[in-house]
Amino acid sequence: MKPVTFNNTVLRDGHQSLAATRMSTAQMLPAAPILDEIGFSGLETWGGATIDSCLRYLNENPFDRLRALKKAAPKTPQIMLLRGQNIVQYTSFPDDVVEAFVRANAAAGQDVFRVFDALNDTRNLATAIKTVLDCKKHARGEICYTTSPVHTIEAFVKMGIELEGMGCHSIGIKDMSGIMTPKIAYDLVKELKGKLGIPIVLHTHDTAGLGAAAYLAAIEAGVDIVETSIVPFANGTGQPDTVRMLALLEGHPRRPDYDPAKLQQLRLHFEDVYQQLSKFTSPANERVDSDILVFQVPGGMLSNFRNQLAEQGMADKFDEVVREIPVVREALGWIPLVTPTSQIVGTQAMMNIKFGRWKMICQPAQDIALGKYGKAPGPINPEILAMCEKQTNSKAVTCRPADLLEPGLEGYRSQCAEKGLPTTDEIAVLFAMFPQQIEALVKGVPAAESKPATAPAKAAEVPAQIPASSGSGVNGCREMVLTIDGRRHHVLVEKLEA
Ligand code: CO
């Protein structure tokens, strides 16, 4: 069997998981040529929360970052994480916006697109994958890993076969919570390798201490690529460290050969950067914590839960609320707990305890039940669905959610023109997702980071705050505030008849 290779994630997931996505392009550039020399099979440098962070906190044009990194590391394919129809946001965008985003990104030099959907609804991946193929770039279809009665090896393999059929060049297994055990990693990779003809990549996090062992098991089963980072932007809630992984593979026939001196150079550079970002790092992210395995919910969600319940005067209800999470997940078709579904499930679990089970349903939970995010992996509880339909006076969506959206690109382009912004595809697609931020960037208004009073947003894969405050009642509704990635969303919570 040929050696396994590593993709390196330090310039994207590494700092997203351990330093609230705050690494700047200037902090990356000195490392880029060294990363490029080592011979990694890919560098994850873009997408996920980095685009949001560039605009919101770092005063950077994310496309300029991509071009700079391509110039500084031209040899190694660069990888981005794309949330399918949500691009790098949390709601669906029309197909023409998704297509324009992928085309602009490909033109700026992106090589590999990791495309995923939080619900594993492949209809939400189709437009992005097709556009990547049209641009002659590498499409890596991602399978989001979670545990539930409907998330079986068989179901994951079926999705892998479907992604291969859609033209993907490789398949990624995305274990965003770091809950994949070595046994599952082995079995899943073995099955996928047996049934598919394209390379398999495993992506995990060391949150619960399983990551490196899961990689080792996957390597035994024939996985083609695993993803590692560089200490101190590694381990804990990040990917296992590269040097650590190489040590684990010492004497293994599939061990790749990467220059230890260069890896040491990178470590020294990133130690320095980590120090500079100390405001955004936290011991809670650095440690291995098996809470996630005990409670079956992401670690970041638990720590936020504790804070939020305390704010609501519900600190003593922690156990009850955590026990309610699987109840909500099951009713909503066993949706995986990944941004933004983790916040929604958490909010609903809290409301079930606070107001009585299903006495009030928050609007995002209604949207999930009504299929507005896509098809849930399992069936929606019919009683909950009927309540949501009655309450919203609407029927569940059974088509692909984006089929209900009119083309939007030209509209965004003319809004850019009205505001005196450039009308290029790059600006128009950024405007579609981050209108205020891109306007501020182009017009030279300093980004939010100059106001240190704002709490740092945590990594996108680490769920942010659950309900912050309940407001006054309006027509029997309660207003609540849902904070996702540091952004506050006001939601009206309606009282339902049981
Ligand atoms: Co990740």
Side-chain angles (χ1 to χ4, degrees):
M1 223 184 278
K2 67 178 177 28
V4 66
T5 59
F6 296 177
N7 287 338
N8 195 282
T9 62
V10 67
L11 300 183
R12 205 286 297 176
D13 210 344
H15 69 108
Q16 179 170 328
S17 295
L18 284 148
T21 333
R22 291 308 206 285
M23 202 188 291
S24 68
T25 305
Q27 288 167 325
M28 297 176 178
L29 283 175
I34 312 170
L35 284 163
D36 201 28
E37 284 301 316
I38 289 182
F40 291 123
S41 38
L43 300 176
E44 194 187 48
T45 54
W46 217 70
T50 62
I51 293 163
D52 191 320
S53 176
C54 273
L55 293 168
R56 198 178 299 278
Y57 305 114
L58 302 174
N59 254 328
E60 288 190 30
N61 179 331
F63 284 100
D64 289 346
R65 169 180 292 184
L66 174 58
R67 280 183 281 267
L69 287 173
K70 281 297 293 181
K71 205 170 158 203
K75 288 191 289 195
T76 315
Q78 293 197 21
I79 307 169
M80 84 156 292
L81 181 63
L82 180 61
R83 296 175 192 150
Q85 208 70 30
N86 299 347
I87 312 183
V88 290
Q89 269 289 19
Y90 304 112
T91 51
S92 286
F93 286 89
D95 287 332
D96 64 338
V97 178
V98 176
E99 289 159 4
F101 179 87
V102 170
R103 279 198 310 268
N105 198 203
Q110 196 66 252
D111 302 291
V112 180
F113 293 74
R114 294 177 66 192
V115 193
F116 81 98
D117 175 65
L119 299 182
N120 282 339
D121 183 346
T122 50
R123 299 172 309 169
N124 288 338
L125 303 177
T127 299
I129 290 172
K130 186 179 175 301
T131 314
V132 172
L133 298 178
D134 287 347
C135 292
K136 306 269 184 280
K137 299 291 186 170
H138 183 114
R140 178 172 139 194
E142 299 283 313
I143 301 171
C144 288
Y145 176 74
T146 186
T147 54
S148 89
V150 297
H151 289 92
T152 57
I153 297 251
E154 203 183 5
F156 290 129
V157 171
K158 188 168 162 253
M159 183 179 178
I161 293 170
E162 202 183 333
L163 290 171
E164 186 179 34
M166 288 163 77
C168 288
H169 300 97
S170 63
I171 299 293
I173 305 165
K174 177 175 161 61
D175 177 20
M176 55 274 174
S177 309
I179 55 174
M180 185 178 283
T181 60
K183 168 88 169 95
I184 297 283
Y186 185 91
D187 291 349
L188 182 52
V189 168
K190 197 90 192 159
E191 278 298 306
L192 286 169
K193 286 299 290 179
K195 299 263 163 49
L196 304 182
I198 51 179
I200 308 296
V201 185
L202 179 58
H203 172 97
T204 189
H205 291 251
D206 223 14
T207 319
L210 297 176
Y215 281 167
L216 197 55
I219 290 165
E220 291 290 330
V223 79
D224 297 273
I225 298 175
V226 296
E227 306 205 305
T228 60
S229 188
I230 306 281
V231 158
F233 294 96
N235 305 323
T237 55
Q239 278 69 55
D241 170 53
T242 304
V243 175
R244 174 181 168 210
M245 203 59 229
L246 288 171
L248 268 166
L249 287 169
E250 201 59 65
H252 195 286
R254 298 197 64 207
R255 183 185 187 276
D257 194 17
Y258 298 130
D259 183 349
K262 288 199 172 71
L263 288 167
Q264 181 61 16
Q265 249 182 301
L266 285 172
R267 184 198 170 121
L268 292 175
H269 170 76
F270 286 118
E271 291 276 9
D272 215 29
V273 176
Y274 199 77
Q275 201 59 43
Q276 292 161 20
L277 295 177
S278 60
K279 223 168 55 175
F280 305 106
T281 63
S282 140
N285 291 334
E286 291 160 2
R287 71 178 172 224
V288 162
D289 187 343
S290 50
D291 245 10
I292 187 167
L293 302 176
V294 176
F295 294 108
Q296 291 287 311
V297 301
M301 185 169 169
L302 283 181
S303 53
N304 276 304
F305 239 168
R306 289 197 176 91
N307 295 339
Q308 294 305 314
L309 289 172
E311 269 180 34
Q312 297 273 313
M314 291 175 69
D316 56 326
K317 297 278 198 282
F318 179 79
D319 286 348
E320 256 181 275
V321 175
V322 167
R323 275 199 302 272
E324 189 68 10
I325 289 173
V327 174
V328 175
R329 266 192 86 196
E330 179 171 12
L332 296 180
W334 290 112
I335 52 173
L337 296 174
V338 54
T339 304
T341 51
S342 48
Q343 287 88 342
I344 300 169
V345 169
T347 302
Q348 191 55 49
M350 210 204 69
M351 288 168 60
N352 279 6
I353 298 303
K354 189 163 179 167
F355 307 119
R357 191 175 279 170
W358 306 115
K359 292 289 183 243
M360 286 188 171
I361 303 181
C362 64
Q363 196 216 320
Q366 289 177 339
D367 287 347
I368 288 179
L370 294 171
K372 292 187 185 172
Y373 287 80
K375 188 172 164 14
I380 305 284
N381 178 313
E383 281 171 45
I384 304 301
L385 177 58
M387 282 165 79
C388 293
E389 287 186 331
K390 189 175 167 206
Q391 188 62 33
T392 57
N393 198 21
S394 63
K395 283 279 162 204
V397 172
T398 52
C399 65
R400 186 184 69 121
D403 285 338
L404 303 172
L405 302 174
E406 295 294 330
L409 185 65
E410 292 317 313
Y412 291 120
R413 214 190 293 283
S414 45
Q415 287 184 58
C416 288
E418 278 165 31
K419 291 184 181 298
L421 304 176
T423 55
T424 57
D425 280 1
E426 281 189 10
I427 299 292
V429 293
L430 291 175
F431 185 86
M433 293 184 282
F434 308 100
Q436 290 100 1
Q437 288 76 18
I438 187 65
E439 187 179 356
L441 180 81
V442 174
K443 295 185 176 169
V445 181
E449 210 74 301
S450 49
K451 299 174 215 150
T454 328
K458 282 296 172 187
E461 284 174 321
V462 178
Q465 296 163 358
I466 316 292
S469 61
S470 30
S472 52
V474 184
N475 299 333
C477 296
R478 281 176 90 96
E479 192 186 6
M480 298 188 88
V481 179
L482 183 66
T483 309
I484 299 174
D485 271 352
R487 195 156 355 139
R488 290 162 77 80
H489 300 265
H490 288 257
V491 293
L492 281 181
V493 181
E494 292 165 301
K495 186 151 178 46
L496 296 186
E497 289 151 33

